[in-house]
Amino acid sequence: MTETSTITISPRAVRRINELVKAEPALTLFRVSVEGGGCSGFQYRFDLVRETAPDDVLVERDGARVVVDPVSLGFVAGSELDFVDDLIGAQFKLNNPNVTASCG
């Protein structure tokens, strides 16, 4: 699978995912999914989970393990998962080149 058919994980996201997993050792995977709603017609969801589904795509970098289901992957392929800690708060963010509209 090529990088554009999956997602990449930034070094900041790797660090934060590894911190979260260390605090919750039973939950070893970070799931990225897409749900209906939001300004662009969908919104991202991020969860720690125990296991993958049979058709999930697994992306690993420096110990961080991220899973994406095939339907969500269709919306986020080519994106970079990042972790941002700024004035408005700390949060995971998907830098998605496929999004053409945003809120604001």
Side-chain angles (χ1 to χ4, degrees):
M1 200 170 270
T2 66
E3 215 169 81
T4 55
S5 65
T6 185
I7 64 172
T8 57
I9 312 166
S10 77
R12 288 185 301 231
V14 165
R15 275 192 302 278
R16 184 63 182 144
I17 291 167
N18 286 334
E19 288 170 1
L20 292 171
V21 167
K22 187 175 182 182
E24 292 284 343
L27 305 173
T28 60
L29 301 163
F30 187 83
R31 177 172 295 284
V32 175
S33 57
V34 174
E35 296 180 340
C39 299
S40 59
F42 62 89
Q43 57 188 6
Y44 305 117
R45 181 177 172 113
F46 307 109
D47 298 291
L48 284 178
V49 296
R50 289 189 201 308
E51 54 193 38
T52 64
D55 55 353
D56 279 344
V57 173
L58 175 65
V59 180
E60 296 182 88
R61 178 176 179 183
D62 300 329
R65 300 172 67 212
V66 175
V67 292
V68 186
D69 66 89
V71 173
S72 296
L73 189 59
F75 291 98
V76 301
S79 298
E80 179 193 46
L81 176 64
D82 195 11
F83 183 75
V84 180
D85 192 355
D86 57 22
L87 292 174
I88 60 170
Q91 64 185 348
F92 283 97
K93 178 180 178 183
L94 265 180
N95 298 314
N96 189 340
N98 305 311
V99 173
T100 56
S102 64
C103 298

